Amino acid sequence: MAGRQGNKEGPVLVCRNVKVSGRRTSLRMEPYIWDSLKEICEREGLTLNDICTQIDQRRGEANLTASIRVFIVSYFRNAIGLRGFSEDGPSSILRKAMDDAIPPFD
């Protein structure tokens, strides 16, 4: 599986400390998820701690990292709307997402 990110144990996870609702906690997520969350923070003028706190306050019993992942997907789905979709096969958005999230084999 040359060219794939991660190994038999799964994808590479990065651990970072954040302050959520005033308490320090560690979150383990994929680098691409961290990058996406950082981009959202920059777009919205919020800190990582602010966004994580807002998600934490709304997630109920759900896992925080899972809630962050769902939030990221929802954010970008809402941002893109229906722009770029094609009825004639895979869109450029699909191809770009696949290439970014799951690099092709070498």
Side-chain angles (χ1 to χ4, degrees):
M1 281 198 168
R4 281 269 194 200
Q5 187 178 15
N7 54 31
K8 289 181 182 178
E9 288 81 39
V12 175
L13 298 176
V14 175
C15 187
R16 294 195 180 149
N17 293 319
V18 295
K19 249 189 184 173
V20 177
S21 300
R23 70 185 192 286
R24 188 177 140 196
T25 190
S26 296
L27 299 174
R28 288 173 35 111
M29 299 186 292
E30 300 80 2
Y32 200 75
I33 297 296
W34 284 115
D35 291 346
S36 298
L37 194 55
K38 179 183 175 197
E39 183 178 339
I40 292 169
C41 289
E42 290 170 358
R43 287 172 180 249
E44 299 297 330
L46 295 168
T47 67
L48 179 63
N49 296 339
D50 291 337
I51 287 243
C52 290
T53 294
Q54 287 185 39
I55 294 168
D56 183 57
Q57 291 170 344
R58 300 174 68 120
R59 69 184 171 96
E61 296 298 315
N63 177 283
L64 180 57
T65 56
S67 296
I68 290 169
R69 287 181 179 98
V70 170
F71 163 77
I72 290 168
V73 170
S74 178
Y75 182 91
F76 287 113
R77 281 183 73 181
N78 282 297
I80 192 123
L82 295 177
R83 290 181 296 127
F85 289 96
S86 169
E87 293 182 21
D88 299 328
S91 70
S92 60
I93 295 168
L94 176 65
R95 289 189 302 273
K96 177 81 171 115
M98 283 291 188
D99 290 346
D100 287 350
I102 309 164
F105 289 109
D106 291 337

